[in-house]
Amino acid sequence: MIWAVFAAHMAARLAYVGYVWVGLTRQQSDGWWTRRWGIEGGFARFRRGASLVMTLDAVSFVAACLVAWGTLPAIVPRVVGVVIGVALVLLGVGTKLWAAATLGGKAYYWYNFFTPAAPVARVSAGPYRYLKNPMYTVGYLQTYGFALISGSLAGLIASVCDQAAILVFHWRVESAHFNRVTRRAA
């Protein structure tokens, strides 16, 4: 049962990263969304789909942790693991919320892929003053924290896989887009 739920989460992560990767790559290459529905309409449709797969991903992660509750080998006393887990959740969620508030709702959902003529500049406010990518680095600590709180081996493995997947997406899609847009502007 545990590994079936874990596999379902991996499928949800693949759906999330895959949908966003393919959707943004298609938009970048041939304006797939905006050609059909315009800038705002295309972005709204993409955002609805992205929100749906993001939610599915989050719910399936929590399910994987809950189903595998207590399966993580006890390396430290349980109370220490829970305290560390709570600290990681607070730090990760706080960083992600701070970064999202700094970027704004449209940037959080990759709006700059839908308006390629708009100037794109690196953000240097909020947590971006200290970290190049707070969303996908420190902003993922809550997944590790929840895995520790639940004592879930499947949750800990999922955390590593999830963060690796989103970092690959960042390097291959977001960074490549940013580099293309800044080269064109130069």
Side-chain angles (χ1 to χ4, degrees):
M1 169 85 168
I2 291 171
W3 298 110
V5 175
F6 174 81
H9 171 64
M10 290 293 99
R13 174 50 54 145
L14 181 61
Y16 163 34
V17 173
Y19 172 83
V20 174
W21 188 315
V22 170
L24 294 178
T25 302
R26 293 275 319 265
Q27 176 60 29
Q28 172 91 32
S29 66
D30 66 4
W32 192 85
W33 298 91
T34 53
R35 195 166 17 97
R36 285 166 176 71
W37 300 288
I39 291 173
E40 295 305 321
F43 175 68
R45 280 178 169 78
F46 170 81
R47 183 177 174 159
R48 273 193 302 275
S51 293
L52 179 65
V53 292
M54 285 174 166
T55 301
L56 176 64
D57 176 66
V59 169
S60 67
F61 173 79
V62 170
C65 287
L66 294 178
V67 168
W69 190 280
T71 57
L72 190 63
I75 296 170
V76 296
R78 180 82 179 113
V79 70
V80 173
V82 170
V83 168
I84 292 169
V86 168
L88 291 175
V89 167
L90 293 173
L91 183 59
V93 169
T95 301
K96 194 166 280 255
L97 290 173
W98 188 20
T102 301
L103 293 176
K106 285 186 171 182
Y108 184 79
Y109 285 96
W110 305 278
Y111 186 71
N112 64 341
F113 278 79
F114 295 82
T115 57
V120 177
R122 291 207 187 271
V123 176
S124 60
Y128 293 91
R129 262 187 304 226
Y130 312 106
L131 300 166
K132 184 177 180 181
N133 191 339
M135 273 294 186
Y136 301 153
T137 55
V138 176
Y140 260 72
L141 289 180
Q142 74 273 4
T143 64
Y144 297 95
F146 192 67
L148 287 176
I149 291 167
S150 62
S152 171
L153 178 60
L156 193 57
I157 294 168
S159 295
V160 172
C161 293
D162 289 358
Q163 190 168 28
I166 202 69
L167 286 171
V168 168
F169 161 78
H170 170 69
W171 292 323
R172 296 296 306 266
V173 179
E174 291 178 328
S175 291
H177 172 73
F178 184 81
N179 290 336
R180 267 191 298 278
V181 171
T182 53
R183 272 196 309 264
R184 271 189 298 205

